[in-house]
Amino acid sequence: MKILAFETSCDETGVAVVENGRRVLSNLLFSQIKLHAPHGGVVPEIAARNHLVKIIPLLDQALKKAQVTKKDINAIATVPGPGLISSLIVGLETAKALSFAWQKPLLAVNHLEGHFYSNWLEKNRKDQPRFPVVALIVSGGHTTLIYAKDHLKFKIIGSTRDDAAGEAFDKGARLLDLPYPGGPNLSKLAKQGNPMAFNFPRPMKTSPDLDFSFSGLKTDLLRHTQTTKLTPKTKKDLAASYQEAIIDSLLIKAKKAVAQYQPFSFLLSGGVSANYLLRQQIRFQIPKIIPDIKIFLPNLKFCTDNAAMIAAAGYQHYRQKNFATLNLKADPNLQLS
Ligand code: KG4
Ligand code: ZN
């Protein structure tokens, strides 16, 4: 069962071929980081234009690398949302055109489902998440806690009230004058700093729900940058203390969700799951709540946006015969249902 998938929801053009929802035959990505870096963030028009330029050459390469032709493809997966509308449309319309021309079923994958299923990619068969699961998806656009009883049976149990965790990293990086992409650069600098040097709150620490809030942290960082002389050392300490506050806030609610829902497995995913401190702390802290819980962290290459994860999620839709029609429309605010 081979699925061809497209991912163009933001600034990465991704095309992949994945077998049986797990075995990655090809996973090609054109990262537009260099094109957006001079602007300090993603420029939607530049993103869409470059998706258009890259998508067909990447399709050709992805098929070639996977050593397949259109005859071998069973279905085509695409992302109607959430994401940037002009970017989403490129992947979506390409997938629809191919579905029509090649007469292959079309699969609609919510971008967050893709992140969720990144934990199924390229692991040995025994080692796959077992339901029920609690999943924490932390990306540039989302900070979401999910409880899933079974495949594609998602219940959102917590989310951010304002900024996403990745956004907090990116905005923090900008305040510290770090280049785009902010998250990885702030995290790199934080490695050399003292996380106890500056005092940051843990927003919503004691709230009874499973929600998050990060916009206050950013304001605190701004205040610290205005009241502290920014030397290379204080920048490192600010980065370390700020990062610690973000990760701690994520951990507090992740642990609470695990205690409340008693899952068999805990899954981390989304761009911020590439963060070394978050990965380390999840492994260390979650078993304090349920000692024999199975923890899954995506392989680093599947943390940030990629098309292989869309194929992995598409496979579950295919198994449930949940096919989309050619009327499928892009929806920048698509909710997980
Ligand atoms: O999942 P993703 O590629 O795109 C969205 O769906 O948003 O996530 C991108 C986000 C960005 O905010 C980026 O700064 C953050 O993930 N990120 C990181 C790290 N690597 C990527 N944040 C913290 N530490 C990292 N190592
Ligand atoms: Zn993403």
Side-chain angles (χ1 to χ4, degrees), residues 193-312:
N194 172 10
M196 319 282 267
F198 288 90
N199 197 15
F200 282 94
R202 305 308 189 238
M204 303 193 65
K205 181 181 174 174
T206 53
S207 72
D209 50 50
L210 296 170
D211 288 345
F212 306 89
S213 165
F214 294 104
S215 66
L217 279 180
K218 178 193 59 195
T219 315
D220 280 315
L221 178 62
L222 174 65
R223 191 172 44 79
H224 280 306
T225 59
Q226 288 165 342
T227 53
T228 314
K229 186 169 159 30
L230 279 188
T231 64
K233 171 157 180 1
T234 54
K235 263 172 92 165
K236 288 173 190 167
D237 288 347
L238 275 171
S241 307
Y242 181 71
Q243 171 175 262
E244 187 98 344
I246 297 174
I247 304 295
D248 239 21
S249 306
L250 292 171
L251 257 294
I252 290 166
K253 293 299 171 85
K255 281 163 75 175
K256 197 169 183 160
V258 166
Q260 216 168 309
Y261 285 87
Q262 295 289 310
F264 192 85
S265 319
F266 179 87
L267 276 55
L268 181 70
S269 63
V272 183
S273 67
N275 183 278
Y276 69 95
L277 184 65
L278 179 59
R279 295 174 82 89
Q280 187 196 77
Q281 286 300 309
I282 289 285
R283 279 196 194 288
F284 179 60
Q285 302 274 353
I286 298 292
K288 287 187 181 172
I289 309 295
I290 303 179
D292 57 353
I293 192 167
K294 296 273 180 269
I295 293 179
F296 291 85
L297 313 177
N299 185 312
L300 281 179
K301 62 180 175 233
F302 301 128
C303 291
T304 44
D305 292 348
N306 65 87
M309 69 185 195
I310 304 304

